[in-house]
Amino acid sequence: MSVAPRRIGVLGGMGPEATVLLMSRVIAATPATDDADHLPLMVDMNPQIPSRIARLIEGRGEDPGPVLAAMAAGLQQSGAQALAMPCNTAHHYAPVIRDAVTIPLLDMVEMAVAQAAQQVGQGGLVGILGSPALQQVGIFDRALARHGCEAVYAADQDALLSAIRGIKQGGPSVAARDALADAARDIAAKGASLQLVACTEFSLIADAAADHARIIDTLDVLVQAMLDFAR
Amino acid sequence: MSVAPRRIGVLGGMGPEATVLLMSRVIAATPATDDADHLPLMVDMNPQIPSRIARLIEGRGEDPGPVLAAMAAGLQQSGAQALAMPCNTAHHYAPVIRDAVTIPLLDMVEMAVAQAAQQVGQGGLVGILGSPALQQVGIFDRALARHGCEAVYAADQDALLSAIRGIKQGGPSVAARDALADAARDIAAKGASLQLVACTEFSLIADAAADHARIIDTLDVLVQAMLDFAR
């Protein structure tokens, strides 16, 4: 390694397991023969960020925006040269985060959408496997529309929300895997053969969807972007 | 949860997998029904900390002390109310770290030794499964001596060093497990039926030693101390 890798700040804790999963995947994806080959990260693991689901779906609770903005500013102050956020739903707050810093946010949603759009082409359908909040706030719809593509969602969004809550509470389960597989099958029947695993809880069980569609895990897109940025 | 848990700073990256393992164990050990029940951490994952093994065993390379001191100060500035360091060998630098901050270091070596000493009693033998650097710098010997106990090491320290390097390079392996099991057997034959897994690489394969001795994993001692501190 000729040049020291650049440090990346992680807006973490949404949930804690997803942050650890991101870190594990970054480590696994880094060619390394000793500690020093690995990426330097500053991880703000803050599980007390106000619930995105409560705020966006149920319209209650504190606004997570200012908390995320303060975390971003703190990470920049700690020497981070870019930011990564392993939570798709929280990317609803990407504008607030960008306003708080002068370093780039490696935008998981934008990058995953760009990759999917390239694969399905103009007018293509892309399935979204994530929290109901994603559909409600429309971040994937808007990002896909900019590429002339369209988002497709599973009919039973309650089942996906239950699965996410179940994983946050007790880790991956057969019930959560079944819910994700059902959603992938439903979306595939609607014509979307390419689907984004767009919830870091579902990244833990992404293979459950892979029987029914080609899958891009947004978390893997972020991992690759982090490796590219760091070098 | 009535009171927000206190934030703990993690001096991480020695190696990166050990830091992720600590975080995973903290998450697993925390009774939680939602994200907000988990511990807030600020993790400085800095794999570029100068090699402790190079400095302490081979007498070459940069001094890790000032780097660790700067990381500790930065973590306190980021709001950490205590520090944790998932690397036994790096506890050689505990005094330098303490001098750099006004918050406590949850000292993994001191706490594990106290727990072991209580089990073996005055004059007892405690096995140390870790890097050769531990024996060379004598941190466990001194800590055990304060409790009237004595450290016992495996004869083949080179095998343990190779195992640590192998895990840092390619993850846990059968060869590393064999080396750790051999060391535990050797130490047990010397009379130490209680042994400390005292290297975070070995925490990944601690069960390989458990056939030959009662084991206390120093990383688990640290996890419990973090949970106790946070609440």
Side-chain angles (χ1 to χ4, degrees):
Chain A
M1 199 178 63
S2 49
V3 182
R6 294 192 285 179
R7 170 170 296 231
I8 298 171
V10 177
L11 296 153
M14 306 175 280
E17 291 89 351
T19 303
V20 168
L21 183 65
L22 173 72
M23 296 170 74
S24 298
R25 289 198 185 173
V26 166
I27 291 170
T30 304
T33 57
D34 204 351
D35 289 353
D37 298 325
H38 284 281
L39 265 55
L41 304 174
M42 182 67 75
V43 181
D44 187 348
M45 170 77 101
N46 180 10
Q48 283 74 40
I49 298 170
S51 168
R52 288 70 58 203
I53 286 176
R55 180 77 178 188
L56 295 173
I57 301 183
E58 298 156 10
R60 64 176 177 82
E62 200 189 327
D63 183 2
V67 178
L68 288 166
M71 287 167 66
L75 288 168
Q76 177 168 17
Q77 200 150 21
S78 302
Q81 294 181 267
L83 296 173
M85 181 162 61
C87 174
N88 286 273
T89 305
H91 277 71
H92 177 68
Y93 303 98
V96 185
I97 292 166
R98 284 201 188 87
D99 283 352
V101 292
T102 57
I103 54 177
L105 171 67
L106 305 177
D107 190 313
M108 180 164 63
V109 171
E110 294 291 345
M111 292 184 298
V113 160
Q115 200 168 310
Q118 201 176 18
Q119 290 193 26
V120 298
Q122 188 81 15
L125 301 177
V126 176
I128 308 294
L129 296 162
S131 135
L134 293 177
Q135 186 172 12
Q136 283 185 239
V137 301
I139 41 175
F140 277 93
D141 304 80
R142 284 192 299 277
L144 282 164
R146 284 193 285 276
H147 293 270
C149 299
E150 201 181 320
V152 180
Y153 298 90
D156 192 350
Q157 291 285 303
D158 287 349
L160 291 178
L161 183 57
S162 295
I164 293 169
R165 286 190 163 141
I167 294 170
K168 281 186 188 292
Q169 192 163 352
S173 65
V174 172
R177 298 179 62 87
D178 286 348
L180 187 61
D182 287 348
R185 196 184 300 112
D186 177 27
I187 294 173
K190 290 171 175 161
S193 60
L194 180 68
Q195 303 184 12
L196 294 175
V197 171
C199 174
T200 38
E201 269 73 34
F202 292 154
S203 294
L204 294 163
I205 56 170
D207 59 299
D211 286 342
H212 307 288
R214 272 182 302 140
I215 294 296
I216 296 175
D217 186 342
T218 59
L219 194 65
D220 288 332
V221 175
L222 180 59
V223 167
Q224 191 53 53
M226 291 171 72
L227 263 63
D228 292 345
F229 178 86
R231 303 293 171 189
Chain B
M1 197 178 65
S2 50
V3 181
R6 294 192 285 178
R7 169 169 296 231
I8 298 171
V10 177
L11 297 154
M14 305 175 280
E17 291 89 352
T19 302
V20 168
L21 183 65
L22 172 72
M23 296 170 74
S24 299
R25 289 198 184 173
V26 166
I27 291 170
T30 304
T33 57
D34 204 352
D35 289 353
D37 298 324
H38 284 281
L39 264 55
L41 304 175
M42 182 66 76
V43 182
D44 188 347
M45 169 77 102
N46 180 10
Q48 283 74 42
I49 299 169
S51 168
R52 288 69 59 202
I53 286 176
R55 180 77 178 189
L56 295 173
I57 302 184
E58 297 157 10
R60 62 177 177 83
E62 199 189 327
D63 182 1
V67 177
L68 288 166
M71 288 168 66
L75 288 169
Q76 177 168 17
Q77 199 150 22
S78 302
Q81 295 180 264
L83 296 173
M85 182 161 61
C87 174
N88 287 275
T89 305
H91 278 70
H92 177 68
Y93 302 99
V96 185
I97 292 167
R98 284 202 188 88
D99 284 350
V101 293
T102 57
I103 54 178
L105 171 67
L106 305 177
D107 190 311
M108 179 163 63
V109 171
E110 293 292 344
M111 293 183 298
V113 160
Q115 200 168 308
Q118 199 174 18
Q119 291 193 25
V120 299
Q122 188 81 12
L125 302 177
V126 176
I128 309 294
L129 295 162
S131 135
L134 293 177
Q135 186 171 13
Q136 283 185 241
V137 300
I139 41 175
F140 277 93
D141 304 80
R142 282 192 299 278
L144 283 163
R146 283 193 285 276
H147 293 269
C149 299
E150 200 182 320
V152 180
Y153 298 91
D156 192 349
Q157 291 284 306
D158 287 349
L160 291 177
L161 184 56
S162 296
I164 293 169
R165 287 190 163 140
I167 294 170
K168 282 185 187 291
Q169 190 163 354
S173 64
V174 172
R177 297 179 63 85
D178 287 348
L180 187 60
D182 286 347
R185 195 184 301 112
D186 177 26
I187 293 172
K190 290 171 176 163
S193 61
L194 179 69
Q195 303 184 12
L196 294 175
V197 171
C199 173
T200 38
E201 269 72 34
F202 291 155
S203 293
L204 295 163
I205 55 171
D207 59 298
D211 287 342
H212 307 288
R214 271 181 304 141
I215 294 295
I216 296 176
D217 187 340
T218 59
L219 194 64
D220 287 332
V221 175
L222 180 58
V223 166
Q224 191 54 51
M226 291 171 73
L227 263 64
D228 292 344
F229 179 86
R231 303 295 171 188

